[in-house]
Amino acid sequence: MDPMLNIAVRAARAAGDIIIRSLDRVDLLTITPKGRNDFVTEVDRQAESEIINILHKAYPHHAFLGEESGSQGAAQAEYVWVIDPLDGTTNFLHGFPHVCVSIGLLYRGRPEKAVIYDPLKQELFTGSRGGGAMLNNRRIRVTKLTGLKGALLGTGFPFRDQTHVDAYLAMFREMMKDTAGIRRAGSAALDLAYVAAGRLDGFWELGLKKWDITAGIVLIQEAGGIVTDLQGREGYLESGNILTANPRLHQVMREVMEQHLTDELRNPA
Ligand code: IPD
Ligand code: CA
Ligand code: CA
């Protein structure tokens, strides 16, 4: 395996072990609110510092952007590791067994490497630009479905920032009536990995953060899918508004989104 991916896998597994060890003592954890419907525990923090320790030892000149510890390292660093040590904290706190560790690597601002690890199912998704996307070392591909009929889509609800709830619900309503089903599983990084693996035909969510999506973007692109903002443009790493599927289905989903975009969604700050 690519040496950088190898180290990232080691870091993700170490974080996964911390998550697993904490699962049966969730009720003893100190839960600190970060914002509306947003919580952090010592497990998130420990997992992140373990990941950064491992990566920093191997790559002392690389920078880091972690959900819990923010930015570290030289501002002009070419390589930046983008880390969500525990994606699905609300699931974790409720014993809902669907969480992951997400580690992406940006090279000059572009997502290049990806590790998404589900420690409960022991599923390891890895991807490297030009090298394909894998699940437990087997190649994965997005689905070939060309329309909404029969599609299983993933999404996330705007449960923290309520600004776009009405627009979101209008999109949801339309998708719901035309598809086979919509899942809100509670871990955006795993949702993206599932699109790459062909378990979901497509996915959309508003207002995600870089650590939710950097790794998933690489997986999907390497699995033959496209990732854009809701209007089919770049800039999704900054806005966090994401629409992804195989190219044909993506076009169909984009047409649905288009009808419900507000001015604020068209021109995110
Ligand atoms: C959250 C999950 C969730 C998504 C939220 C994210 P966290 O991440 O990915 O599915 O809807 O927007 O913030 O807080 O569990 O790391
Ligand atoms: Ca997250
Ligand atoms: Ca998190």
Side-chain angles (χ1 to χ4, degrees):
M1 197 190 278
D2 168 314
M4 279 188 184
L5 266 188
N6 226 340
I7 304 276
V9 166
R10 204 190 322 144
R13 287 193 190 279
D17 289 347
I18 293 172
I19 294 170
I20 296 284
R21 281 203 301 274
S22 318
L23 259 183
D24 54 4
R25 53 175 192 98
V26 165
D27 46 339
L28 302 177
L29 296 176
T30 314
I31 304 169
T32 317
K34 284 202 286 190
R36 189 180 188 280
N37 289 333
D38 199 0
F39 303 98
V40 61
T41 69
E42 60 259 42
V43 177
D44 301 65
R45 295 206 183 96
Q46 269 170 29
E48 182 162 311
S49 83
E50 182 72 11
I51 293 169
I52 294 179
N53 279 342
I54 292 173
L55 294 172
H56 181 68
K57 258 188 211 140
Y59 300 109
H61 302 299
H62 291 187
F64 298 91
L65 172 65
E67 176 173 13
E68 310 308 341
S69 53
S71 293
Q72 293 175 47
Q76 68 282 24
E78 291 197 314
Y79 288 101
V80 182
W81 293 93
V82 185
I83 301 155
D84 193 334
L86 170 46
D87 188 50
T89 296
T90 303
N91 283 351
F92 173 74
L93 289 174
H94 290 259
F96 187 102
H98 190 76
V99 301
C100 72
V101 179
S102 177
I103 304 178
L105 179 64
L106 296 172
Y107 175 65
R108 297 185 173 170
R110 187 178 185 214
E112 284 288 317
K113 312 260 178 220
V115 174
I116 293 181
Y117 178 52
D118 174 343
L120 290 154
K121 300 180 199 70
Q122 299 198 1
E123 290 190 323
L124 179 70
F125 298 87
T126 50
S128 191
R129 184 158 306 285
M134 315 281 191
L135 164 53
N136 292 343
N137 290 322
R138 295 194 136 163
R139 193 76 187 244
I140 48 176
R141 304 286 305 167
V142 295
T143 63
K144 295 195 169 75
L145 206 70
T146 57
L148 291 175
K149 194 165 183 290
L152 183 63
L153 301 181
T155 189
F157 303 142
F159 62 106
R160 284 181 195 133
D161 178 359
Q162 309 282 301
T163 319
H164 303 298
V165 169
D166 291 339
Y168 175 82
L169 287 175
M171 293 165 184
F172 186 86
R173 187 188 171 86
E174 197 154 338
M175 292 293 192
M176 187 176 69
K177 65 181 171 44
D178 291 336
T179 54
I182 303 183
R183 300 288 179 264
R184 195 293 186 249
S187 164
L190 267 187
D191 291 331
L192 297 176
Y194 281 20
V195 172
R199 294 173 177 178
L200 291 170
D201 296 294
F203 172 82
W204 88 101
E205 186 165 345
L206 310 176
L208 288 167
K209 304 290 188 198
K210 279 190 179 147
W211 45 79
D212 298 313
I213 56 181
T214 299
I217 290 165
V218 177
L219 293 177
I220 292 177
Q221 291 175 338
E222 285 299 312
I226 36 178
V227 185
T228 67
D229 74 358
L230 301 187
Q231 293 171 82
R233 302 176 308 191
E234 300 280 319
Y236 45 86
L237 259 184
E238 284 66 39
S239 71
N241 300 336
I242 281 253
L243 174 62
T244 177
N246 72 54
R248 301 270 302 270
L249 180 60
H250 182 277
Q251 173 65 23
V252 175
M253 289 176 73
R254 196 158 82 73
E255 282 160 18
V256 173
M257 300 291 153
E258 182 61 36
Q259 299 163 37
H260 304 290
L261 290 172
T262 55
D263 288 348
E264 274 174 307
L265 279 172
R266 280 181 204 283
N267 306 301

